[in-house]
């Protein structure tokens, strides 16, 4: 009770964390299979603000996404004779993690910040990120209290069954995760 809640659309991209120290990008990473971290600082400095007007430590968590139109362009650049990349999420993952990605493809990535270490509430942190020049997920303050959500029939999470499929192609192992949604609810971060 008494917890401020925010909601935003679920954006299915690649989760990344970027840390700024005294206004400059210090470190950026994304988690791979088995918890292995990929250092993506150089690539993230091309799609996130290189510097911000903030003294101290500022950390963002963002979903890195790519549009369907850019997936098509990405395929044309990487191999015009074969469609190597099918999904937006898989394309974003490849751009972030593969070594052989041309420089022009990095600009296809679009970061959407969904959490920061700033402030005492999620909305305060996202508002600060927006002021600092970050692209943040659309968010609106819906209800002041958690019990109001429950009274309106929302649930705290999606009830899903997940299926994992793995495949290997051209030196890269990929995973497809399918989710069967049993009960649709509201995914709430607090």
């Amino acid at each position: 009770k008494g917890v401020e809640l925010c909601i935003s659309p679920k954006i299915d991209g690649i989760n990344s964390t970027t840390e700024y120290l005294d206004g400059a990008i210090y470190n950026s990473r994304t988690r791979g299979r088995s918890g292995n971290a990929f250092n993506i600082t150089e690539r993230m400095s091309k799609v996130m603000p290189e510097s911000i007007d903030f003294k101290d430590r500022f950390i963002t968590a963002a979903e890195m996404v790519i549009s369907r139109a850019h997936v098509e362009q990405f395929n044309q650049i990487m191999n015009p004779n074969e469609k190597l990349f099918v999904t937006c999420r898989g394309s974003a993952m490849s751009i972030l993690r593969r070594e052989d990605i041309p420089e022009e493809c990095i600009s296809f990535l679009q970061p959407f910040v969904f959490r920061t270490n700033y402030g005492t509430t999620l909305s305060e942190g996202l508002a600060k990120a927006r002021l600092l020049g970050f692209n943040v997920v659309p968010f609106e303050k819906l209800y002041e209290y958690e019990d109001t959500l429950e009274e309106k029939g929302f649930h705290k999470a999606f009830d899903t069954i997940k299926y994992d499929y793995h495949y290997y192609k051209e030196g890269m192992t990929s995973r497809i995760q399918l989710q069967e949604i049993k009960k649709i609810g509201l995914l709430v971060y607090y």
Side-chain angles (χ1 to χ4, degrees):
K1 296 194 183 236
V3 175
E4 180 193 79
L5 302 172
C6 290
I7 68 162
S8 66
K10 170 62 177 123
I11 298 174
D12 193 20
I14 301 301
N15 191 309
S16 65
T17 302
T18 302
E19 182 177 359
Y20 290 80
L21 285 179
D22 294 325
I25 285 185
Y26 172 72
N27 186 14
S28 193
R29 59 203 169 280
T30 185
R31 185 179 51 85
R33 189 171 285 108
S34 304
N36 298 327
F38 289 84
N39 184 331
I40 55 171
T41 306
E42 184 180 332
R43 290 188 184 180
M44 289 297 281
S45 69
K46 295 177 176 141
V47 294
M48 296 282 271
E50 280 189 73
S51 62
I52 57 174
D53 186 18
F54 193 84
K55 299 297 178 212
D56 205 3
R57 188 170 175 233
F58 191 78
I59 301 171
T60 65
E63 287 289 318
M64 302 302 294
V65 298
I66 180 174
S67 70
R68 291 209 180 275
H70 282 129
V71 171
E72 294 306 317
Q73 282 183 268
F74 187 42
N75 273 308
Q76 285 297 312
I77 292 166
M78 294 302 288
N79 187 346
N81 300 319
E82 182 183 359
K83 191 172 185 175
L84 298 175
F85 307 98
V86 179
T87 66
C88 296
R89 187 175 191 278
S91 299
M93 183 186 316
S94 295
I95 291 172
L96 281 174
R97 298 179 182 170
R98 284 179 55 163
E99 297 292 325
D100 63 339
I101 300 301
E103 189 77 20
E104 63 191 292
C105 296
I106 295 170
S107 67
F108 296 162
L109 292 170
Q110 297 176 316
F112 286 92
V113 173
F114 64 86
R115 186 177 63 241
T116 75
N117 67 324
Y118 180 84
T120 58
T121 64
L122 179 62
S123 60
E124 187 179 357
L126 291 176
K128 182 65 171 180
R130 185 178 283 149
L131 284 172
L132 291 171
F134 292 94
N135 189 19
V136 300
V137 294
F139 69 96
E140 298 295 330
K141 184 174 171 183
L142 286 188
Y143 301 102
E144 287 291 328
Y145 302 103
E146 186 176 356
D147 56 331
T148 305
L149 280 172
E150 292 173 359
E151 286 171 13
K152 299 231 180 245
F154 291 107
H155 306 281
K156 286 189 182 177
F158 293 101
D159 185 10
T160 64
I161 299 172
K162 295 181 180 179
Y163 304 96
D164 283 339
Y165 298 94
H166 300 269
Y167 65 93
Y168 182 83
K169 183 173 183 176
E170 296 194 14
M172 185 173 168
T173 302
S174 295
R175 178 182 73 148
I176 297 174
Q177 186 178 75
L178 301 177
Q179 293 187 23
E180 177 184 324
I181 298 175
K182 295 170 68 176
K183 178 174 29 172
I184 296 177
L186 177 67
L187 187 59
V188 178
Y189 295 97
Y190 62 93

